[in-house]
Amino acid sequence: MYTILLALSCLALIGAHFLRLPNKSSFIGNVLSFSAALLLTTIGIRAITNASGVGRATQFDAFVNRAALIAENSDAPLIVFSGASFSRNAIDDDRLTYILREKGYPHQAINISLEAASLVERKMYLDALIARSSRAPDIMMLEVAQITDTRPTFIFNNSKFSSRAINQFNVEGVLWSTAGLLEDGCSGLVDCAKESVFLGAHGLVNVFNLGLVSQGKTLSHEAPQMSYDGALEAKETIDGTDRQHGLTTQNLVSPRAAHNWARSLRAIQHRDILAAGTSKVGYYFPPVISPGARAYVADICAGELADYTCIAPTDPALLAKLDADVWLDREHLLDDGAAVYVAWLADQLIASGILDEAAPQQEGAQK
Amino acid sequence: MIFTEAIFFVFLAAVFTAYWLLKNHREWQLRLLLVASTIFYGWWDWRFLLLIGTVILISWITAQQVSKRQENAPSRRAWLIFGITSSLAILGVFKYFNFFADSSIAMLQAIGLTPSAGAVHILLPVGISFYIFQAVSYIVDTARGDLKAENRLSRVALYIAFFPQLVAGPIVRAASFFPQMDRIKPLNRGLVAAGLRAFLLGFAYKAGIADNLAQFVDPVFGSALVPNDADLTVWSNGALVGASLAFAGQIYFDFVGYSLMAIGVARWFGFYIPKNFDYPYASTNIADFWRRWHISLSSWLRDYLYIPLGGNRSGKVKTYRNLMITMVLGGLWHGAAWTFVAWGALHGLALAMHRALFVGKSRRLPAILALIATQLFVLLAWVPFRAESFGDTIIAWSAFVGLRTGGPETLPWIVWAVPILIILDAALGHSRLRRLARSSLIRRPIIFWGGLGVLTATLFALYPLEAQPFVYFQF
């Protein structure tokens, strides 16, 4: 990392000392020379940082490094959960591992979820996990949520021009997110214009490596950290009647698929994960009070993801147990709520059979 | 608004375009620059404008009144004293009130008294030391007859508030600036090229190097950005020496970077500002160092303090005294803290010793030894300049000679590479290499534009996304 910093500093010194405006030159030739040199140097710098494992560090790297460390030190089959804040507050991986082992399954659960993580960002970090880990996870459970299926630039609500926001909008991320924005990913002209400008600006910052070396770190050196964030106190007061109404309302399941961009991205990710050596991929969504958000996942499970293990939190028994002071807010569970959910999730995983089969899952063949 | 921030580039582009659209209307061009300077300075805090406005008014009125009166008239002297003392009083109140109040309280506490400390804490206006010195030089130059008092308030205002060098110098002399306001320069390739060269080099120094060195200095010596930083004992001896080395690099690249960017921006508006640095880390004695470091300040101190004190005209002892007074006050100018006074005193002492041992004598140290001794002294003297207290200074100095048991925390190896950057910079500034830069090969379009592309991509990668203020803004 520091070698790159020193080398680039020397290069900057030399370049800045030696530039002298030429006397005569052609405009097109100048533009071509400048653009080609800019592009080649940019690509070169990115290639060098990538090869050295240097990048903009985020909390995800700490989660991924923990997962990689567990993978290295454990022979147990790994089941990795990847999602946004819903999962970060709900999937207590140590507790889930304990429950599974009590029920005779040797699996090691690992949660690598982070708030406001978009589909694009999660895909990026699952790829990083596979690259940094000595073995691919045996099972990957991917969160499906209405908000991340419909708002590709949701991160801007959380932060702008942060390492996370810049990281996820590489060329691939910009393309996926643009497709998402074009497909109802924003509402109204002003919102769409704002999101598009931010997306473009983040894309440029990413593509041109802005601050990549000055702020870069060796990603594999980030201290491992647990993702599960078991909150003990509610952030907002939830009216009991309101909560009961939300949890008992059940919408009829009408099978459907997500927007094209989200469906395509998921399909490609599914394929890539299997190609990387993971045996099975499943889907899930932690419980929320809003019946609409639960129903969305139930519909996707019945439609787009009907061929796979897909666990929607629509079980009335689960929701009845959660009709208590176990909510951080309307979308996130407290530690007590996570305990209820994880116990239920363990049963669902076992019942789905996803933990049983050793043979690699064939595309669209297993449930 | 910092020169390396995106908002500054938007501001600069707007002012540049408007300025050159008004190319046939000189007075409007100057008014535009004054408005732009007002916006630039008010961007920090609009209240600062009241202060700089007061300083401008004092300078303008004083110069007018002084120039109207006969040379020996008592009222002329009274106006002069009023102008200088009121300007310096503003500096004293806004920069040194907290320092003297805190020092007085500490002194009273030391003798067992318990004074009730008032809660008055005065905000330090950015760049105040620089524009007060410019104002004083204008008043004194007018009184000396070196310069005609300017009737137009707007011109005095533009001289004091000219945005490229307003907040961190170089300290421009009125005699050099005022004639340029009447000189109409056309926008041509030479002007753009000269500005671009200075600005790019400055940007590379500041954003490419200085800001990246800050990340090794701040955690050790402390920074408002780094909490729990005050305890130097956790750092190993190597880390303390390394951080001192990194600071020597940081302050150099930071301040030269700012000065070059200021020079570059001023060039784009047709103004010439003389260079402020001349590779000071290549100097082989301390007097040489001060001829190369912050040239506009050292020459200001020489012309408006050292020489009026008597300079070297009244015997050895008084010369040493004058050197000490000049450098101690120069140290205090840098910051309202005893550590800055100590830094100035160390340099004053070194200048006096150099004078006593070498000036007018035939003895000389071998060049390499002189270079190492000078730079080692400069490095050691940076420690109190950067440390937050004398206690920290002693700890860091002890680390240099291994007089303390080091702590467990270390710094990455790159801090030891700072001399490479400094040597490379000095080598690139060497006249032979500078001649090479003027060669026809280097000036080929493909080399320039391709090189600019490489440099741009490199600076993008080195650019600090969270822009760091210039070190000298606090002075």
Side-chain angles (χ1 to χ4, degrees):
Chain A
M1 164 64 211
Y2 294 118
T3 314
I4 300 172
L5 182 62
L6 181 64
L8 289 186
S9 300
C10 292
L11 186 62
L13 266 183
I14 295 167
H17 269 92
F18 274 87
L19 286 183
R20 292 290 185 278
L21 202 66
N23 293 325
K24 274 188 281 179
S25 49
S26 86
F27 179 74
I28 293 175
N30 297 344
V31 171
L32 282 178
S33 307
F34 176 80
S35 309
L38 177 71
L39 224 66
L40 286 174
T41 313
T42 301
I43 293 168
I45 290 171
R46 182 63 69 95
I48 291 167
T49 52
N50 283 351
S52 320
V54 170
R56 302 172 209 271
T58 73
Q59 232 178 335
F60 257 128
D61 290 294
F63 302 160
V64 165
N65 289 347
R66 174 176 172 264
L69 195 68
I70 292 171
E72 200 178 310
N73 295 323
S74 163
D75 291 332
L78 301 178
I79 173 166
V80 170
F81 291 82
S82 165
S85 58
F86 308 108
S87 297
R88 191 171 183 198
N89 285 106
I91 310 279
D92 179 348
D93 39 5
D94 282 351
R95 190 179 273 150
L96 180 59
T97 302
Y98 178 79
I99 294 170
L100 289 176
R101 288 186 182 167
E102 277 212 319
K103 291 177 186 279
Y105 291 86
H107 295 73
Q108 167 76 51
I110 303 171
N111 184 3
I112 58 162
S113 305
L114 187 56
E115 44 275 354
S118 64
L119 291 182
V120 165
E121 191 180 19
R122 281 187 265 152
K123 181 178 184 306
M124 177 186 291
Y125 281 99
L126 281 178
D127 293 346
L129 172 62
I130 291 166
R132 270 182 238 172
S133 185
S134 55
R135 62 190 169 111
D138 299 84
I139 303 163
M140 284 219 197
M141 295 296 294
L142 310 179
E143 181 191 282
V144 177
Q146 188 171 21
I147 185 79
T148 48
D149 271 9
T150 51
R151 290 290 303 271
T153 53
F154 184 65
I155 184 73
F156 296 147
N157 291 8
N158 193 281
S159 68
K160 295 180 188 80
F161 296 104
S162 62
S163 290
R164 276 188 65 195
I166 296 167
N167 250 357
Q168 63 188 278
F169 296 117
N170 54 14
V171 176
E172 190 189 358
V174 168
L175 291 176
W176 280 118
S177 303
T178 306
L181 285 181
L182 291 171
E183 214 179 333
D184 273 351
C186 49
S187 49
L189 191 65
V190 174
D191 182 49
C192 288
K194 208 169 72 180
E195 299 291 294
S196 305
V197 167
F198 278 126
L199 178 62
H202 281 75
L204 286 175
V205 169
N206 182 308
V207 166
F208 285 106
N209 302 327
L210 218 67
L212 178 64
V213 173
S214 65
Q215 299 192 324
K217 290 181 178 168
T218 306
L219 301 176
S220 58
H221 292 178
E222 288 299 289
Q225 193 190 330
M226 190 174 185
S227 159
Y228 172 63
D229 184 13
L232 299 175
E233 281 182 37
K235 203 164 69 180
E236 66 181 57
T237 314
I238 298 162
D239 175 66
T241 319
D242 185 30
R243 182 182 65 214
Q244 189 188 31
H245 180 255
L247 290 171
T248 51
T249 304
Q250 293 277 16
N251 295 352
L252 280 176
V253 174
S254 57
R256 59 177 286 198
H259 286 314
N260 283 331
W261 76 275
R263 194 183 59 205
S264 307
L265 195 156
R266 230 183 331 256
I268 290 169
Q269 184 180 22
H270 194 116
R271 187 196 65 201
D272 290 351
I273 290 172
L274 292 178
T278 292
S279 305
K280 283 167 266 172
V281 181
Y283 298 88
Y284 73 101
F285 182 57
V288 292
I289 292 177
S290 158
R294 292 197 306 271
Y296 173 82
V297 181
D299 294 350
I300 297 288
C301 284
E304 177 192 326
L305 301 173
D307 291 338
Y308 309 108
T309 297
C310 188
I311 304 168
T314 46
D315 179 359
L318 166 71
L319 298 172
K321 282 184 195 164
L322 293 174
D323 188 10
D325 291 332
V326 296
W327 294 92
L328 176 68
D329 56 29
R330 296 179 61 84
E331 294 175 326
H332 304 99
L333 291 166
L334 287 172
D335 190 53
D336 288 344
V340 172
Y341 174 60
V342 161
W344 178 84
L345 181 65
D347 290 338
Q348 296 298 311
L349 288 168
I350 292 165
S352 73
I354 197 168
L355 303 178
D356 297 332
E357 299 158 38
Q361 186 182 30
Q362 296 304 306
E363 185 71 15
Q366 300 286 335
K367 180 163 184 187
Chain B
M1 213 185 301
I2 298 170
F3 284 177
T4 50
E5 275 181 316
I7 185 70
F8 176 74
F9 292 102
V10 176
F11 168 82
L12 182 62
V15 178
F16 179 84
T17 309
Y19 184 84
W20 289 109
L21 282 174
L22 294 167
K23 63 182 177 183
N24 297 324
H25 309 276
R26 185 60 179 161
E27 283 306 315
W28 282 103
Q29 278 188 320
L30 297 177
R31 281 177 201 142
L32 173 79
L33 284 182
L34 185 57
V35 171
S37 300
T38 309
I39 294 169
F40 180 81
Y41 196 53
W43 200 270
W44 267 278
D45 191 328
W46 66 269
R47 291 170 298 178
F48 293 170
L49 292 173
L50 300 175
L51 193 71
I52 198 171
T54 308
V55 173
I56 289 165
L57 267 179
I58 291 170
S59 311
W60 178 65
I61 293 168
T62 306
Q64 290 281 309
Q65 296 302 322
V66 165
S67 65
K68 271 185 206 165
R69 288 166 168 75
Q70 295 289 327
E71 197 165 332
N72 295 321
S75 60
R76 185 177 194 271
R77 193 176 169 77
W79 270 108
L80 184 60
I81 291 170
F82 160 78
I84 295 172
T85 50
S86 53
S87 298
L88 293 178
I90 288 173
L91 182 63
V93 170
F94 282 89
K95 185 160 179 173
Y96 300 107
F97 177 83
N98 297 336
F99 168 62
F100 285 118
D102 292 346
S103 298
S104 307
I105 289 167
M107 208 187 305
L108 291 171
Q109 282 169 342
I111 57 169
L113 298 174
T114 48
S116 58
V120 182
H121 262 269
I122 294 174
L123 188 69
L124 174 67
V126 66
I128 187 169
S129 310
F130 290 92
Y131 63 72
I132 292 278
F133 269 31
Q134 286 208 172
V136 169
S137 79
Y138 170 61
I139 293 169
V140 173
D141 286 355
T142 312
R144 282 175 178 168
D146 296 342
L147 185 74
K148 203 169 154 270
E150 173 59 55
N151 289 328
R152 287 160 289 191
L153 175 63
S154 61
R155 292 210 167 191
V156 177
L158 182 58
Y159 160 63
I160 291 176
F162 186 45
F163 78 87
Q165 39 77 235
L166 168 62
V167 288
I171 301 164
V172 180
R173 301 294 177 86
S176 138
F177 192 84
F178 277 100
Q180 298 189 56
M181 287 197 253
D182 289 320
R183 206 176 296 147
I184 300 165
K185 285 218 169 212
L187 178 63
N188 55 33
R189 286 174 66 84
L191 196 80
V192 173
L196 185 69
R197 203 163 54 232
F199 191 86
L200 267 180
L201 185 57
F203 194 89
Y205 278 1
K206 166 64 180 164
I209 300 175
D211 286 353
N212 285 305
L213 290 176
Q215 61 180 306
F216 308 113
V217 179
D218 290 348
V220 177
F221 282 115
S223 154
L225 302 171
V226 183
N228 298 326
D229 53 21
D231 191 4
L232 255 63
T233 55
V234 301
W235 294 96
S236 68
N237 288 341
L240 289 175
V241 177
S244 306
L245 204 54
F247 179 67
Q250 183 200 355
I251 193 160
Y252 169 69
F253 286 113
D254 188 281
F255 197 19
V256 184
Y258 176 84
S259 299
L260 283 168
M261 281 191 267
I263 289 167
V265 173
R267 287 304 283 158
W268 283 326
F269 295 103
F271 285 85
Y272 173 78
I273 296 178
K275 69 177 174 186
N276 211 16
F277 288 84
D278 188 18
Y279 304 98
Y281 290 147
S283 49
T284 51
N285 65 60
I286 198 68
D288 187 26
F289 176 82
W290 278 104
R291 279 190 291 270
R292 293 158 172 259
W293 179 275
H294 202 172
I295 297 164
S296 65
L297 174 70
S298 51
S299 60
W300 193 100
L301 290 171
R302 181 195 63 210
D303 295 347
Y304 300 99
L305 186 59
Y306 177 69
I307 291 173
L309 281 170
N312 58 2
R313 299 185 303 271
S314 316
K316 281 184 180 176
V317 176
K318 284 193 174 169
T319 302
Y320 302 148
R321 181 204 66 181
N322 295 341
L323 279 172
M324 282 303 290
I325 292 172
T326 304
M327 294 314 292
V328 165
L329 289 176
L332 192 61
W333 176 89
H334 280 84
W338 290 109
T339 46
F340 289 108
V341 174
W343 174 77
L346 281 171
H347 274 275
L349 205 61
L351 283 167
M353 280 177 64
H354 168 73
R355 194 168 186 86
L357 293 173
F358 297 105
V359 174
K361 311 271 190 323
S362 57
R363 72 167 76 97
R364 289 276 179 276
L365 287 176
I368 187 73
L369 199 63
L371 174 78
I372 292 170
T374 305
Q375 298 315 324
L376 189 60
F377 167 77
V378 170
L379 174 65
L380 286 169
W382 282 132
V383 173
F385 190 95
R386 181 61 181 85
E388 290 187 337
S389 66
F390 282 121
D392 284 0
T393 303
I394 299 298
I395 291 173
W397 275 344
S398 306
F400 274 81
V401 285
L403 280 179
R404 68 182 278 272
T405 311
E409 297 288 327
T410 56
L411 284 177
W413 62 266
I414 195 170
V415 292
W416 303 106
V418 170
I420 294 175
L421 294 172
I422 291 170
I423 292 167
L424 178 67
D425 177 59
L428 290 167
H430 196 277
S431 55
R432 281 184 196 166
L433 277 173
R434 270 193 281 197
R435 270 201 297 277
L436 177 66
R438 285 193 290 270
S439 73
S440 56
L441 175 74
I442 293 288
R443 297 180 79 104
R444 291 175 72 168
I446 192 164
I447 299 284
F448 174 80
W449 289 105
L452 192 62
V454 172
L455 182 63
T456 307
T458 306
L459 289 177
F460 276 165
L462 290 172
Y463 182 79
L465 282 177
E466 287 164 23
Q468 300 245 10
F470 289 89
V471 173
Y472 262 67
F473 277 9
Q474 61 187 296
F475 307 140

